[in-house]
Amino acid sequence: MLIYEENVPASYRTAFVAKVREISTRLGINPNWLMAIINWESARSFSSSIRNPYTNATGLIQFMPDTAIDLGTTIDRLARMTAVEQLDWVYKYYVRYRSKLKSYTDLYLTTFYPAAVGKAASYVLGSTAYRVRRIAEQNSSFDNNGDMKITKGEIESDMLEKIPANWMAEFKKKVVS
């Protein structure tokens, strides 16, 4: 059993979990990491059509419109796919970063802000003062100290806090290359 497997709708759970295991093997990552990210990003729905009303990000890992286009699709096409079909696009997104996916935090940062992967915990997300503030405003749950800046360390702390204690060992492991 994978973490949050029970949150996947029963109508496609078996196929979805099998596909998560398959693409995780191909990426060289722990499938529990991917399940936790999809659980979080899809608001625990495991729905391919869920959208963020503020950013229009769509689907299992909240593909941004420009990211979808870069991958050769659109958020509208992604939203019409089944969750199992959309996992192919999840793989297509992550495979570009495969060599950097060494931990759960790396996988999450690749989803949320790839430039932060490999940086120190003190790394601040955003390339300009405006972007730093905007990222903090749109993702206030990560701004643990309320300074209107989000650091890699704040994200790591927050994402690990969400993991149930009985699963924590799976999330502290690193991939050995």
Side-chain angles (χ1 to χ4, degrees):
M1 178 115 179
L2 297 178
I3 192 169
Y4 305 121
E5 187 173 324
E6 70 280 1
N7 292 356
V8 180
S11 61
Y12 58 86
R13 183 178 300 145
T14 301
F16 188 89
V17 168
K19 187 78 163 198
V20 164
R21 287 182 186 280
E22 173 201 325
I23 66 174
S24 294
T25 297
R26 289 169 49 202
L27 292 169
I29 62 170
N30 185 324
N32 289 300
W33 300 350
L34 185 54
M35 286 290 286
I37 288 167
I38 293 171
N39 183 66
W40 172 251
E41 291 296 308
S42 72
R44 296 167 190 78
S45 71
F46 288 83
S47 168
S48 58
S49 61
I50 192 161
R51 289 212 181 173
N52 179 314
Y54 305 108
T55 64
N56 222 13
T58 303
L60 299 173
I61 61 169
Q62 292 294 282
F63 292 96
M64 294 294 287
D66 288 345
T67 302
I69 290 167
D70 186 47
L71 291 170
T73 190
T74 66
I75 58 171
D76 291 329
R77 281 191 220 127
L78 288 165
R80 289 191 301 269
M81 294 175 189
T82 68
V84 175
E85 290 169 336
Q86 197 178 100
L87 283 170
D88 289 327
W89 293 91
V90 169
Y91 174 79
K92 191 172 182 179
Y93 175 75
Y94 286 128
V95 75
R96 305 181 298 178
Y97 300 98
R98 182 176 33 211
S99 66
K100 295 183 176 193
L101 305 177
K102 306 291 184 201
S103 68
Y104 170 61
T105 303
D106 289 344
L107 187 65
Y108 183 72
L109 286 169
T110 298
T111 311
F112 181 66
Y113 199 86
V117 176
K119 301 289 194 297
S122 60
Y123 177 81
V124 176
L125 279 62
S127 54
T128 64
Y130 172 78
R131 289 288 302 142
V132 167
R133 185 169 193 80
R134 185 98 168 116
I135 290 167
E137 288 170 349
Q138 291 178 336
N139 302 279
S140 59
S141 67
F142 287 136
D143 188 12
N144 299 336
N145 62 7
D147 66 354
M148 294 308 293
K149 297 177 186 172
I150 297 174
T151 65
K152 177 183 173 180
E154 286 175 311
I155 291 172
E156 182 170 33
S157 171
D158 197 59
M159 292 309 293
L160 287 172
E161 258 179 33
K162 294 174 183 355
I163 303 301
N166 60 320
W167 285 95
M168 192 53 69
E170 291 290 315
F171 288 81
K172 290 193 173 181
K173 292 179 187 172
K174 297 222 180 220
V175 173
V176 179
S177 44

